[in-house]
Amino acid sequence: LDERPEAREHIFRSKLPDICIPYHMTLAEYCMEKALQWPDKVAIVDGNTGKALTYGELAVLSQRVAAGLMKLGVEKGGVIAVLLPNGCEFVAVFLGAAIRGAIVTTANPFYTPVELENQIRVASATMVVTHSSYVEKLRALDLQIITIDKHVDSCLHISVLFEADEEECPIVDIDPDDLVCLPFSSGTTGLPKGVMLTHKSLLSSVSQQVDGQIPNLYMTDEDFVMCVLPMYHIYSLNSIMLCGLRVGATLVTMPKFNLQLMLEIIQKYKVTVLPAVPPIVLAMAKNPIVLNYDLSSLRMMLSGAAPLGKELEDAFRARLPGAVIGQGYGMTEAGPVLAMSLAFAKMPFPVKSGSCGTVVRNSEVKIVDNDTGLSLTYNQPGEICIRGPQIMKGYLNNPEATAHTLDKDGWLHTGDIAFIDEDEEMFIVDRVKEIIKVKGFQVPPAELEALLISHDGILDAAVVPRKDEMSGEVPVAFIVQAAGFNLSEEDVKAFIAKQVVFYKKLHSVHFIDKIPVTPSGKILRKELRNKL
Ligand code: 4UW
């Protein structure tokens, strides 16, 4: 009997050769390595205002931020929350913190005070950089607040960072396994957790996408990359911001999505790369106003963070045949990119609509049958597991959740069900985890269920996804009402709506007698989904 692991496991790899990843570098050094070659090139331009920052300016600004953070007492390993819309402030603070050896936790600025408090507490952040309009939401927390726009009482102003002396930029001994970023994700189950991403994780993920002789995601210093997806989400942070800087592209930022504005900006700046989520692909493929713009500069459209149907991909192709469309597949815990379409490679491969890509280089993927634990071969659906230098170190202060997701052999279990065909293309067909994806945003059912049962009139609750043409999925609740209460659907919706960010709002509420559970007490989510 052949006892070697490779004899027992079917492992999938990229069709491109592995590359040499410069693990010894820090993330900031790596992303700004070539900045000196093009100091006068624009690194970031605000698509609305035209305000621009060159690579040379960004390099100096991030050194100033590092110096300023040190002066303010932020130590190596200290955690800073960044609560900002897309723009040069986000990028400079992120890089500056990385140079300082600090860790950035990113969150949606539209989060409610309760959502923010949870994350800031779990992350042990001591400082937040934000816009003056969000300060009131943070007042109750014990935090040093820095505002990027106007001065606000008892807060510092961003000038303490941006006008610090770059000569005082600290030289910090950073290990590749030191943390640099702490995004939050609920993973396969439960509440949002801090995902420990190290310098090595993010650097590896960027390298797997854009480095080497035949990059998988071929972007160059001639590209103008649309940055409309929020930088606080790992997709934009990694595949737009960090990849864009690494190759010397110009990031064209927008603080929030607006189709018409985005089209104007693509036309005006001759944007070449458009990373998007399925609702944006839908708009590009179907909305008539798209036809009023000259979009001939667009050469590449990426979709990710949620499933993109084959029909939609084909509709986009028919409308904009000059642009290559394809998908990437990411998960915060996976650092984040697991697979990327080889249509984006420097030497592109033919690909099929509906595929979420081929596993990235320097990584292994296996597809596991969750009943038998065996790894499967071509065309057999099972849970995707990935192993490589890019995956997370674990969940912050949560060994139990970490052990549930990362096994002893170093495999990350994604909770996504997929098969891989003979051309090494991956197709996601289902999800065995709880998470609901609304326009690519995570909505953790456990969070909504906890809020629901905190209501005196609700005995038990379960939240599951319902398919939705515009958003992909939306959360809906099943409720067991307490005796003596007469709650309406609207009462329950309103109760949740005031406590959560807009995309977590409930779309419908169904009253039932009992939430179906397994003998061990786990909610039978599939049964509820089938009721819809
Ligand atoms: N098809 C179907 C997909 C797909 C998908 C993700 O919020 P998270 O943790 O993370 C993300 C990251 C997405 C991403 C990052 C970088 C990148 O280049 C890229 O593609 C261009 C995408 O979404 O949610 C993770 C979960 O989201 C689902 C899947 O369930 C995954 O576990 N998901 N991408 N193409 N589903």
Side-chain angles (χ1 to χ4, degrees):
L1 201 66
D2 190 345
E3 288 286 355
R4 290 170 309 143
E6 55 271 37
R8 280 181 276 125
E9 305 213 300
H10 189 95
I11 290 175
F12 296 92
R13 308 206 44 136
S14 177
K15 291 206 275 195
L16 298 172
D18 274 356
I19 51 171
C20 192
I21 299 177
Y23 298 125
H24 60 282
M25 296 178 89
T26 68
L27 184 62
E29 281 166 0
Y30 167 80
C31 287
M32 295 295 280
E33 189 182 22
K34 297 182 217 150
L36 289 178
Q37 292 174 20
W38 37 64
D40 298 327
K41 254 208 79 183
V42 173
I44 308 156
V45 56
D46 182 319
N48 289 334
T49 64
K51 191 176 116 188
L53 196 69
T54 64
Y55 271 93
E57 288 164 341
L58 177 61
V60 172
L61 205 55
S62 43
Q63 288 167 357
R64 288 183 182 169
V65 170
L69 288 173
M70 187 174 68
K71 272 224 155 113
L72 291 172
V74 174
E75 304 278 348
K76 182 185 168 191
V79 181
I80 303 167
V82 171
L83 211 62
L84 291 174
N86 290 350
C88 58
E89 292 86 1
F90 188 113
V91 184
V93 171
F94 184 89
L95 289 178
I99 295 172
R100 176 64 194 110
I103 303 160
V104 167
T105 188
T106 56
N108 188 333
F110 292 114
Y111 269 3
T112 63
V114 180
E115 290 167 316
L116 288 171
E117 188 190 334
N118 280 338
Q119 177 164 342
I120 284 168
R121 193 173 29 80
V122 174
S124 304
T126 55
M127 177 186 281
V128 59
V129 182
T130 191
H131 191 271
S132 61
S133 54
Y134 306 124
V135 167
E136 284 318 309
K137 296 198 284 195
L138 299 160
R139 285 283 192 203
L141 303 172
D142 180 23
L143 274 175
Q144 172 76 263
I145 303 175
I146 301 183
T147 54
I148 62 160
D149 50 326
K150 59 181 193 219
H151 286 270
V152 176
D153 267 355
S154 71
C155 299
L156 295 172
H157 183 253
I158 193 73
S159 53
V160 294
L161 302 181
F162 284 2
E163 289 166 23
D165 184 354
E166 65 270 22
E167 300 290 327
E168 292 174 17
C169 177
I171 295 169
V172 185
D173 184 15
I174 293 173
D175 187 90
D177 288 322
D178 286 338
L179 304 195
V180 67
C181 190
L182 192 66
F184 271 58
S185 165
S186 67
T188 54
T189 181
L191 296 172
K193 297 170 274 291
V195 177
M196 296 193 286
L197 295 180
T198 64
H199 285 261
K200 180 178 165 186
S201 334
L202 284 175
L203 179 154
S204 300
S205 182
V206 172
S207 186
Q208 288 164 339
Q209 292 168 81
V210 300
D211 282 351
Q213 296 288 320
I214 316 169
N216 191 337
L217 177 62
Y218 183 48
M219 296 198 295
T220 74
D221 59 311
E222 290 176 6
D223 277 309
F224 283 74
V225 184
M226 186 80 231
C227 185
V228 62
L229 302 181
M231 287 171 163
Y232 58 75
H233 185 258
I234 198 70
Y235 175 0
S236 182
L237 186 110
N238 177 295
S239 294
I240 304 178
M241 178 176 107
L242 300 177
C243 287
L245 296 175
R246 170 69 181 169
V247 302
T250 298
L251 307 180
V252 185
T253 62
M254 284 181 74
K256 67 174 204 268
F257 176 67
N258 171 305
L259 180 63
Q260 188 167 344
L261 258 179
M262 187 183 83
L263 294 167
E264 278 165 25
I265 289 171
I266 294 174
Q267 178 174 278
K268 177 167 173 201
Y269 288 94
K270 300 197 166 49
V271 167
T272 56
V273 179
L274 175 55
V277 288
I280 300 182
V281 181
L282 177 69
M284 293 293 285
K286 300 271 170 84
N287 195 307
I289 72 163
V290 173
L291 301 171
N292 302 340
Y293 295 86
D294 174 6
L295 305 177
S296 55
S297 59
L298 265 189
R299 67 171 189 88
M300 208 152 94
M301 170 101 183
L302 285 76
S303 178
L308 178 68
K310 183 176 169 325
E311 302 69 33
L312 200 51
E313 228 177 295
D314 291 338
F316 177 88
R317 236 176 241 125
R319 188 177 249 192
L320 287 164
V324 172
I325 184 171
Q327 294 187 48
Y329 161 44
M331 171 170 166
T332 310
E333 290 81 349
V337 182
L338 296 99
M340 183 65 78
S341 174
L342 285 172
F344 303 139
K346 186 170 181 187
M347 286 150 69
F349 288 76
V351 300
K352 294 175 216 73
S353 287
S355 158
C356 69
T358 296
V359 56
V360 290
R361 295 166 292 175
N362 299 59
S363 284
E364 300 165 292
V365 153
K366 64 178 180 177
I367 306 264
V368 176
D369 180 330
N370 275 339
D371 293 331
T372 63
L374 295 175
S375 70
L376 302 170
T377 175
Y378 291 100
N379 295 312
Q380 296 178 299
E383 184 178 15
I384 309 175
C385 299
I386 185 152
R387 185 160 70 179
Q390 75 280 23
I391 67 174
M392 68 165 177
K393 200 166 170 176
Y395 291 114
L396 182 73
N397 299 329
N398 199 334
E400 202 180 314
T402 303
H404 186 77
T405 306
L406 282 179
D407 70 23
K408 61 177 185 359
D409 299 317
W411 292 99
L412 175 90
H413 294 246
T414 61
D416 292 310
I417 303 292
F419 66 87
I420 293 179
D421 74 4
E422 303 81 2
D423 298 314
E424 312 294 333
E425 286 191 86
M426 191 186 284
F427 294 82
I428 297 180
V429 292
D430 198 7
R431 213 186 279 146
V432 280
K433 52 186 170 187
E434 295 166 4
I435 192 78
I436 302 170
K437 278 264 159 141
V438 180
K439 299 182 178 175
F441 287 117
Q442 291 196 4
V443 177
E447 199 179 322
L448 296 176
E449 286 156 6
L451 289 175
L452 285 166
I453 58 173
S454 74
H455 190 295
D456 289 338
I458 299 175
L459 276 184
D460 203 359
V463 174
V464 296
R466 186 181 69 209
K467 292 243 172 299
D468 180 85
E469 158 140 54
M470 183 53 209
S471 303
E473 292 174 346
V474 291
V476 302
F478 286 87
I479 301 289
V480 181
Q481 196 157 185
F485 281 83
N486 192 11
L487 293 171
S488 69
E489 173 166 14
E490 288 314 313
D491 294 337
V492 178
K493 280 185 175 174
F495 173 70
I496 293 297
K498 62 177 196 279
Q499 303 185 68
V500 296
V501 66
F502 60 91
Y503 58 83
K504 292 184 189 166
K505 290 180 183 171
L506 293 173
H507 281 241
S508 64
V509 178
H510 307 267
F511 295 88
I512 53 176
D513 294 335
K514 193 174 181 304
I515 302 290
V517 292
T518 62
S520 64
K522 274 183 76 173
I523 298 171
L524 283 164
R525 295 178 187 279
K526 212 159 203 155
E527 194 168 305
L528 292 171
R529 266 157 61 186
N530 292 341
K531 276 189 203 284
L532 291 169

